[in-house]
Amino acid sequence: MTNGDVTAIKDVQAYEDGRNVEISQVGISGLRLPIEFSNGGQSQHSVMEAAFTVTLQKERKGTHMSRFIEVWDRLEKPFSLERVTTLLNSLEEKLDAEKAQIELKFPLFFTRTAPVSQAKSLMDFNCEIVAESNHSDPGESHYELRLMAPVTSLCPCSKEISEFSAHSQRSHLTIALQFRDRAGFEAIDIDQLLMEMESVGSSRLYPLLKRPDEKYVTEMAYKTPRFVEDLVRDLVVLLRERQDLIAFSVQSENFESIHNHQAYAKVNYTF
């Protein structure tokens, strides 16, 4: 066999396996790559951490790991929510699998405008896409979007009992949305949804604040105290009227300024 003769190389992954065990997910994880992501008419570059997996038939010994990278590399760019199904279908076809799964995590940057000075700056938000296809029953495909938005929360108890002040903290609000179908998932405007999430805090966060802005957000937080319980309940109120979801979860983690621990709350909601 010459160096260029690959036809004689054995395909060990295609060997038969006699243990009669189907593998639910097999593939690659921890893959870090640049990504150009488009949503709501905006396109931006980021860095993602990805996991690509498929189901493996019980009679097959292994999957072909290199093919996952090939599928991503050949996918038309920029990537978007509309291309998630294309990616899943390509994985199914390339790996000859009944189901394919993806998990993509990356920061997105959106412009935020200071409330008084109107100074504009970019703030980062964590985005995660989790999806699964089902070749035999497309109606059983899974589309999930997870977002994290930071806000300020000021403690109502501290405000009530303190003579001069009240302690506040930065809170990380996280939502995980499970969509009824592909169309609802693809129609999401991520920046608009993040702004709606930010509205439930005592105050929004801003990367760039001048002194008049700092005065405004401090006073706004004092006028709008929120427990961690208030934050998750307000997120539920925000989301429970949506017609494009089958379930969601919301959570808040408050990084306390007077304790060496976080305050935490979560709600799981099924329609």
Side-chain angles (χ1 to χ4, degrees):
M1 182 180 71
T2 65
N3 290 337
D5 184 7
V6 298
T7 58
I9 297 178
K10 295 180 179 179
D11 184 359
V12 180
Q13 286 91 339
Y15 287 3
E16 289 192 10
D17 191 280
R19 284 167 286 188
N20 197 36
V21 177
E22 180 181 89
I23 298 179
S24 302
Q25 291 183 248
V26 59
I28 60 176
S29 63
L31 176 67
R32 290 174 61 85
L33 286 173
I35 181 174
E36 183 182 0
F37 185 75
S38 177
N39 181 258
Q42 300 182 56
S43 183
Q44 60 179 276
H45 293 269
S46 187
V47 176
M48 72 170 183
E49 181 173 332
F52 301 139
T53 58
V54 294
T55 55
L56 183 67
Q57 298 91 329
K58 60 186 178 182
E59 67 274 9
R60 291 192 182 176
K61 185 173 184 61
T63 193
H64 296 82
M65 300 296 180
S66 63
R67 296 181 183 178
F68 293 95
I69 306 293
E70 289 176 339
V71 168
W72 174 259
D73 287 345
R74 294 173 183 173
L75 191 70
E76 185 179 351
K77 308 299 191 301
F79 190 69
S80 64
L81 298 179
E82 291 86 348
R83 298 206 188 284
V84 167
T85 299
T86 301
L87 174 56
L88 290 168
N89 291 342
S90 297
L91 288 170
E92 286 179 346
E93 181 179 356
K94 187 70 173 178
L95 279 301
D96 188 25
E98 187 69 21
K99 297 179 181 179
Q101 306 87 16
I102 64 168
E103 293 187 23
L104 311 178
K105 302 177 184 179
F106 49 93
L108 289 174
F109 296 83
F110 294 104
T111 300
R112 292 296 179 260
T113 304
V116 180
S117 70
Q118 300 297 295
K120 296 183 183 297
S121 54
L122 290 174
M123 191 160 78
D124 63 298
F125 300 88
N126 292 339
C127 175
E128 185 173 354
I129 297 168
V130 180
E132 180 178 30
S133 62
N134 189 324
H135 181 74
S136 61
D137 188 357
E140 291 298 313
S141 296
H142 176 83
Y143 297 93
E144 184 172 343
L145 178 66
R146 302 171 186 171
L147 299 172
M148 190 282 283
V151 299
T152 294
S153 59
L154 184 133
C155 178
C157 180
S158 175
K159 177 181 177 179
E160 185 70 24
I161 65 177
S162 300
E163 183 177 354
F164 300 113
S165 183
H167 75 89
S168 60
Q169 49 270 323
R170 187 170 70 252
S171 303
H172 286 182
L173 308 180
T174 303
I175 63 173
L177 310 180
Q178 297 181 35
F179 290 84
R180 290 191 180 278
D181 52 35
R182 170 184 174 182
F185 172 74
E186 294 178 351
I188 286 294
D189 185 325
I190 292 177
D191 189 22
Q192 178 61 40
L193 185 54
L194 286 166
M195 287 192 287
E196 293 174 6
M197 293 172 62
E198 292 173 282
S199 69
V200 310
S202 297
S203 174
R204 300 174 184 270
L205 297 188
Y206 302 90
L208 175 59
L209 293 173
K210 298 296 187 179
R211 279 173 292 179
D213 301 310
E214 185 175 354
K215 178 178 185 296
Y216 177 91
V217 298
T218 303
E219 292 174 349
M220 173 61 71
Y222 193 78
K223 294 174 184 176
T224 320
R226 291 285 188 271
F227 283 130
V228 68
E229 296 92 337
D230 295 314
L231 295 174
V232 294
R233 284 172 171 150
D234 285 346
L235 285 173
V236 170
V237 171
L238 176 69
L239 296 171
R240 67 184 177 188
E241 300 304 320
R242 297 185 66 102
Q243 301 299 309
D244 54 352
L245 304 177
I246 56 173
F248 64 81
S249 67
V250 300
Q251 67 180 47
S252 179
E253 187 174 21
N254 293 6
F255 296 86
E256 295 280 336
S257 59
I258 63 170
H259 302 292
N260 192 29
H261 58 257
Q262 285 77 262
Y264 177 82
K266 181 176 182 178
V267 176
N268 295 317
Y269 192 97
T270 302
F271 289 87

